[in-house]
């Protein structure tokens, strides 16, 4: 009750010039005090809150307006500039492999062909209920779109000659809190009276102070009108308009309509909690302390001999760095030693499940992923990878893997998604990278890199390794990370690959069992299902 009395005093008229600072202190206090009040006033919160994302009436008007603006001036002729226009997305991708233009010996090595994998055929053809699965995917996609819809992403145009002044972007409020809306104003030619109104969907308006000669209707409601015979008084009053969010959502936005006779403007107020940072305290003593900053993670299956060679090689250069091993062998053998964490999983849980488990146990700022048949050498300089991660916005940076032949592979790819309508989109994976990184001449930006990479632990944990990929998989992680991971690749940090290419008749028994699991054909259709259903693609083209 005390709160309520205090809050109401805010509406008492104040001589603004003298008490300017005092008022702002009041605003701050009253912002906090207004919150419990709305719990009583608001009819919205009395019987539960609808947290489906809603298409508010304001957004309906807004979308019509944008349509009108885009369709304006239809009778003025135009000339298409083909070389630019052809770069615009057509939003109707088709599943096409690259054309082979010439046939020469080794031409496929120099210019790797683009292969197209039609997921619709590959996955749906063998499915007992293709129509059912299509329908299910469409429904899940609709729900996903509804969940991820954010009014702050809606296009807003500030029209020319609009007498209304307002903030287009950059206004934020925490859920159920109150702010002053900055920047509201009216610039209009002389007339007998001036009126503006404000409309919100997820919140209410009020004023933190009142100004003489201004009449206000709808304080504490989601529609407020302010009018005055004096333009300067109205503009002064507009500086004290507050917005209080009344529907709790940790991350959304409210579209505000701001109108005067003959003119409407729209802007958004972001509603959300502050992003809580996730920081790692890894000590700082000038240089990079790899033990404190990095954990090495790997997954092993059957190849204990290879794993031992890997550990021995790491210890030569980094004797105290923690090594996390995920192990899904049938008969697990002990792997012991200082700074080793060995996690035994149920038999055959699989490749991505193991990666996920290993990465989930990392508590250093960075995680280095290695395969269990890699060997560290003097060229495996983890400091270089830490350095680029510390100095750039990259989240993940790959190195190079030197095969026994001497060739060092970086496996750089770019990934893009093209809209394809109802059937699903197209995923395009190509060899190559986007650009070289300034200050790091051996490093480039790409969308996918090799199996040897260092990454910010938290970012990799956020993307995760989908445990449904059991046998094979690598690029799938980068497909899931597209748009959230900033990825680089450096060719001067090199790890060696223990012999992989062996003639079949010289293979050891262990190797044969390993290959039977890893490369058994059962994985293919699972993978098609994930890309078709989970990622909603109809086609994947790949180089
Ligand atoms: C808001 O104000 C404008 C101009 O005063 C008016 O035309 C419009 O109808 C008002 N909007 C509503 C929802 O009353
Ligand atoms: C590096 O970090 C480890 C683990 O936090 C710590 O034990 C060690 O003393 C540090 N080394 C130096 C040189 O600071």
């Amino acid at each position: 009750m005390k709160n309520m009395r205090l809050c109401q005093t805010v509406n008492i008229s104040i001589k603004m010039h003298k008490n300017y600072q005092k008022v702002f202190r009041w605003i701050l206090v009253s912002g906090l005090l207004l919150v419990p009040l709305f719990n009583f006033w608001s009819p919205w919160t009395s019987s539960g809150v609808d947290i489906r994302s809603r298409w508010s009436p304001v957004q309906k008007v807004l979308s019509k307006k944008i349509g009108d603006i885009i369709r304006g001036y239809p009778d003025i002729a135009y000339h298409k500039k083909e070389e630019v226009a052809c770069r615009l997305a057509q939003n109707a991708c088709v599943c096409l492999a690259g054309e082979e233009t010439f046939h020469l010996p080794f031409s496929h090595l120099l210019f790797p062909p683009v292969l197209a994998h039609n997921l619709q055929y590959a996955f749906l053809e063998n499915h007992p209920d293709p129509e059912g699965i299509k329908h299910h995917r469409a429904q899940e996609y609709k729900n996903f779109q509804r969940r991820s819809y954010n009014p702050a992403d809606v296009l807003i145009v500030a029209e020319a000659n609009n007498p209304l002044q307002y903030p287009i972007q950059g206004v934020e409020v925490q859920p159920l809190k109150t702010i002053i809306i900055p920047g509201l104003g009216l610039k209009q030619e002389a007339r007998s009276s001036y009126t503006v109104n404000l409309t919100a969907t997820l919140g209410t308006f009020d004023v933190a102070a009142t100004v003489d000669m201004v009449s206000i209707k709808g304080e504490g409601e989601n529609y407020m009108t302010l009018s005055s015979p004096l333009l300067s008084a109205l503009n002064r009053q507009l500086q004290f308009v507050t917005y209080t969010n009344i529907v709790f959502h940790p991350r959304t936005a409210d579209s505000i309509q701001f109108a005067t006779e003959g003119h409407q403007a729209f802007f958004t107020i972001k509603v959300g909690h502050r992003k809580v940072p996730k920081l790692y305290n890894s000590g700082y003593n000038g240089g990079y302390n790899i033990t404190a900053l990095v954990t090495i993670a790997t997954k092993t299956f059957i190849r204990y001999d290879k794993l031992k060679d890997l550990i021995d090689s790491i210890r030569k250069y980094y004797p105290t760095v923690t090594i996390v091993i995920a192990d899904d062998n049938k008969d697990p053998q002990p792997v012991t030693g200082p700074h080793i964490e060995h996690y035994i999983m149920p038999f055959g849980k699989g490749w991505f499940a193991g990666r996920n488990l290993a990465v989930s146990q990392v508590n250093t700022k960075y995680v280095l992923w290695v395969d269990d048949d890699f060997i560290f050498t003097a060229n495996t300089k983890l400091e270089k990878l830490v350095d680029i991660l510390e100095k750039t916005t990259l989240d993940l940076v790959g190195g190079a893997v030197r095969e026994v032949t001497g060739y060092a592979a970086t496996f750089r790819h770019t990934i893009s998604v093209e809209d394809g309508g109802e059937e699903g989109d197209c995923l395009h994976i190509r060899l190559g990278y986007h650009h070289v990184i300034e200050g790091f001449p051996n490093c480039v930006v790409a969308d996918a890199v090799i199996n040897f990479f260092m990454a910010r632990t938290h970012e990799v944990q956020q993307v995760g390794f989908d445990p449904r990929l059991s046998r094979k998989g690598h690029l799938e992680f980068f497909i899931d990370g597209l748009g959230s991971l900033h990825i680089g690749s450096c060719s001067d940090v090199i790890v060696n690959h223990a012999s992989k290419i062996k003639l079949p008749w010289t293979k050891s028994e262990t190797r044969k069992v390993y290959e039977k699991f890893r490369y058994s054909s059962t994985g293919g259709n699972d993978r098609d299902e994930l890309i078709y259903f989970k990622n909603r693609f109809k086609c994947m083209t790949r180089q």
Side-chain angles (χ1 to χ4, degrees):
M1 282 295 112
K2 198 175 158 206
N3 288 355
M4 198 175 269
R5 239 190 7 251
L6 254 169
C7 235
Q8 280 161 348
T9 58
V10 174
N11 293 332
I12 294 167
S13 173
I14 304 158
K15 277 253 161 23
M16 291 316 306
H17 301 287
K18 285 179 190 156
N19 294 330
Y20 197 72
Q21 294 216 326
K22 205 163 151 197
V23 168
F24 268 91
R25 236 174 289 135
W26 279 19
I27 290 161
L28 231 106
V29 175
S30 61
L32 295 171
L33 300 178
L34 280 166
V35 173
L37 269 180
F38 285 114
N39 291 342
F40 297 117
W41 290 353
S42 165
W44 302 42
T45 49
S46 55
S47 59
V49 172
D50 180 3
I51 57 163
R52 288 173 302 176
S53 46
R54 276 162 297 188
W55 184 246
S56 76
V58 170
Q59 280 148 14
K60 241 176 245 167
V61 186
L62 181 55
S63 101
K64 186 184 170 299
K65 254 208 131 75
I66 292 290
D68 292 346
I69 291 170
I70 290 171
R71 281 189 292 269
Y73 310 107
D75 40 359
I76 296 183
Y78 60 87
H79 308 279
K80 203 159 154 190
K81 195 168 168 187
E82 204 55 58
E83 72 268 27
V84 179
C86 70
R87 278 188 248 143
L88 299 173
Q90 305 293 317
N91 291 348
C93 65
V94 287
C95 205
L96 275 184
E99 281 171 42
E100 257 190 270
T101 44
F102 50 90
H103 297 271
L104 287 171
F106 306 118
S107 67
H108 65 288
L109 290 176
L110 289 171
F111 307 101
V114 173
L115 308 174
H117 181 46
N118 192 319
L119 295 159
Q120 299 208 89
Y121 292 131
F123 175 63
L124 291 185
E125 200 177 43
N126 300 320
H127 201 279
D129 180 18
E131 284 311 309
I133 199 96
K134 269 176 146 172
H135 178 72
H136 184 192
R137 189 183 73 161
Q139 211 158 29
E140 287 295 313
Y141 181 57
K142 225 167 95 190
N143 289 341
F144 162 78
Q145 281 185 312
R146 217 188 40 191
R147 269 199 320 277
S148 53
Y149 169 76
N150 186 343
D153 300 332
V154 173
L155 173 67
I156 296 184
V157 174
E159 288 168 76
N161 294 323
N162 192 329
L164 295 162
Q165 173 186 297
Y166 56 96
I168 289 195
Q169 282 191 14
V171 186
E172 275 186 67
V173 63
Q174 294 198 36
L176 308 186
K177 300 272 163 91
T178 299
I179 49 156
I180 293 263
I181 302 177
L184 294 179
L186 183 68
K187 307 269 141 77
Q188 215 163 24
E189 279 161 26
R191 52 170 71 204
S192 61
S193 105
Y194 302 86
T195 303
V196 294
N197 55 26
L198 285 152
T199 314
T201 309
L202 304 174
T204 57
F205 300 103
D206 213 313
V207 287
T210 58
V211 173
D212 290 342
M213 312 264 294
V214 178
S215 77
I216 305 171
K217 268 192 295 191
E219 290 147 283
E221 287 168 30
N222 68 340
Y223 174 73
M224 188 165 80
T225 302
L226 303 104
S227 54
S228 173
L230 274 182
L231 184 59
S232 55
L234 181 66
N235 276 322
R236 190 68 178 133
Q237 182 64 74
L238 282 171
Q239 296 174 348
F240 298 99
V241 170
T242 64
Y243 170 85
T244 301
N245 171 248
I246 58 168
V247 177
F248 179 88
H249 192 295
R251 192 187 61 256
T252 183
D254 199 350
S255 300
I256 309 297
Q257 182 182 349
F258 182 39
T260 189
E261 205 187 315
H263 297 279
Q264 293 166 323
F266 302 89
F267 59 94
T268 55
I269 296 180
K270 278 195 184 179
V271 180
H273 279 302
R274 293 276 151 73
K275 199 170 174 193
V276 178
K278 310 273 185 308
L279 310 177
Y280 292 86
N281 177 8
S282 44
Y284 185 78
N285 55 2
Y288 298 129
N289 182 341
I290 296 298
T291 302
L293 282 165
V294 181
T295 300
I296 299 176
T298 191
K299 150 89 176 57
T300 193
F301 186 66
I302 301 175
R303 311 189 282 196
Y304 285 107
D305 50 338
K306 295 271 194 299
L307 179 64
K308 188 174 175 309
D309 292 346
L310 167 68
I311 295 172
D312 290 347
S313 73
I314 293 173
R315 289 298 173 232
K316 234 191 265 178
Y317 302 98
Y318 301 101
T320 55
V321 71
T322 303
I323 304 172
V324 171
I325 300 155
D327 183 343
D328 63 346
N329 275 295
K330 192 170 185 188
D331 305 306
Q333 295 173 17
V335 180
T336 53
H339 314 292
I340 285 182
E341 294 176 18
H342 182 204
Y343 294 93
I344 313 261
M345 303 173 74
F347 172 57
K349 276 300 274 187
W351 175 229
F352 264 38
R355 285 178 142 197
N356 232 3
L357 177 81
V359 165
S360 75
Q361 298 308 306
V362 173
N363 53 26
T364 51
K365 184 173 183 182
Y366 299 117
V367 56
L368 179 82
W369 182 265
V370 292
D371 280 0
D372 59 353
D373 59 347
F374 287 174
I375 302 287
F376 272 46
T377 71
N379 289 324
T380 318
K381 281 260 171 279
L382 302 188
E383 289 80 355
K384 282 192 187 171
L385 297 178
V386 169
D387 190 51
I388 192 166
L389 287 168
E390 287 282 321
K391 290 180 178 163
T392 64
T393 57
L394 292 180
D395 297 306
L396 185 154
V397 58
V401 177
R402 194 185 300 284
E403 300 294 339
V404 279
T405 56
Y407 175 69
T410 49
F411 197 70
R412 292 161 175 168
H413 283 87
T414 64
I415 305 177
S416 64
V417 173
E418 188 184 357
D419 279 359
E422 253 171 48
E423 308 270 82
D425 298 332
C426 292
L427 175 69
H428 301 301
I429 302 175
R430 294 289 180 276
L431 288 170
Y433 57 88
H434 300 300
H435 61 79
V436 175
I437 300 169
E438 203 186 305
F440 297 88
N442 297 306
C443 304
V444 298
V445 169
D447 292 314
V449 296
I450 204 156
N451 253 359
F452 170 57
F453 57 79
M454 188 181 287
R456 294 179 200 281
T457 305
H458 180 69
E459 310 305 323
V460 169
Q461 286 170 345
Q462 294 276 297
V463 175
F465 297 92
D466 195 322
R468 287 176 284 182
L469 277 161
S470 54
R471 297 279 168 257
K472 287 191 263 186
H474 175 63
L475 282 171
E476 289 78 0
F477 165 74
F478 294 98
I479 296 168
D480 281 345
L482 194 68
S484 62
L485 295 180
H486 191 191
I487 294 173
S489 166
C490 296
S491 58
D492 58 344
V493 181
I494 305 164
V495 76
N496 281 6
H497 196 186
S499 158
K500 189 177 193 177
I501 309 144
K502 268 197 169 181
L503 300 173
W505 54 88
T506 65
K507 273 180 195 167
S508 66
E509 268 317 297
T510 319
R511 177 95 211 153
K512 280 181 199 156
V513 179
Y514 176 83
E515 288 187 356
K516 179 166 158 267
F517 267 91
R518 175 107 196 249
Y519 302 115
S520 65
S521 59
T522 53
N525 209 41
D526 293 356
R527 190 159 152 267
D528 284 348
E529 175 178 4
L530 276 189
I531 299 179
Y532 177 81
F533 200 106
K534 181 181 88 175
N535 300 132
R536 195 181 166 270
F537 289 119
K538 69 173 174 190
C539 172
M540 175 167 80
T541 71
R542 176 166 176 194
Q543 193 175 30

